[in-house]
């Protein structure tokens, strides 16, 4: 299964070959961490998910995370160290 995911998204291969950053405290590779994050039911239903910015930076790196958001057509906002991901392609409009 992992070989298929790697073939589908060559960005992971490119970033892995570039050396990237060192990832601490996760048994998952950055690619598998993202795959796990975006496999949730909330994502499948087009809802929102929230993660700590420091976890994203530590386990995946912000560049890879942004690239995955762009690939999926998702938007995200950051506030007080939390990142909220809107798991759909709808517009995000501020309320105030």
């Amino acid at each position: 299964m992992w070989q298929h995911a790697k073939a589908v998204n060559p960005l992971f291969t490119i970033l892995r070959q570039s050396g990237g950053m060192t990832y601490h405290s996760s048994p998952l590779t950055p690619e598998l961490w993202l795959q796990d994050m975006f496999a949730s039911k909330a994502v499948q239903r087009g809802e929102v998910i929230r993660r700590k910015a420091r976890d994203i930076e530590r386990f995946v790196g912000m560049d890879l995370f942004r690239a995955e958001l762009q690939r999926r057509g998702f938007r995200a906002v950051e506030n007080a160290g939390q990142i909220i991901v809107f798991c759909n392609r709808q517009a995000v409009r501020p309320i105030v």
Side-chain angles (χ1 to χ4, degrees):
M1 181 177 157
W2 167 236
Q3 293 299 326
H4 175 67
K6 186 175 175 182
V8 171
N9 194 345
L11 176 63
F12 291 142
T13 304
I14 292 167
L15 288 173
R16 177 174 286 236
Q17 291 171 350
S18 71
M21 60 185 283
T22 303
Y23 305 98
H24 303 284
S25 305
S26 176
L28 301 176
T29 64
E31 297 85 3
L32 288 175
W33 193 89
L34 279 174
Q35 186 178 26
D36 184 59
M37 176 178 165
F38 289 113
S40 72
K41 289 181 183 179
V43 173
Q44 304 306 315
R45 292 188 300 250
E47 298 174 350
V48 300
I49 56 175
R50 176 179 57 91
R51 296 292 185 276
K52 290 182 180 182
R54 73 167 193 217
D55 289 346
I56 292 170
E57 190 65 54
R58 181 185 308 149
F59 300 135
V60 180
M62 205 52 76
D63 290 341
L64 182 57
F65 180 70
R66 283 188 189 108
E68 185 63 15
L69 289 177
Q70 282 188 321
R71 186 181 79 78
R72 292 173 178 269
F74 293 172
R75 300 191 191 264
V77 295
E78 182 176 358
N79 178 266
Q82 298 288 315
I83 294 182
I84 309 297
V85 179
F86 301 91
C87 302
N88 58 60
R89 295 174 181 245
Q90 301 299 314
V92 176
R93 295 182 305 270
I95 301 298
V96 285

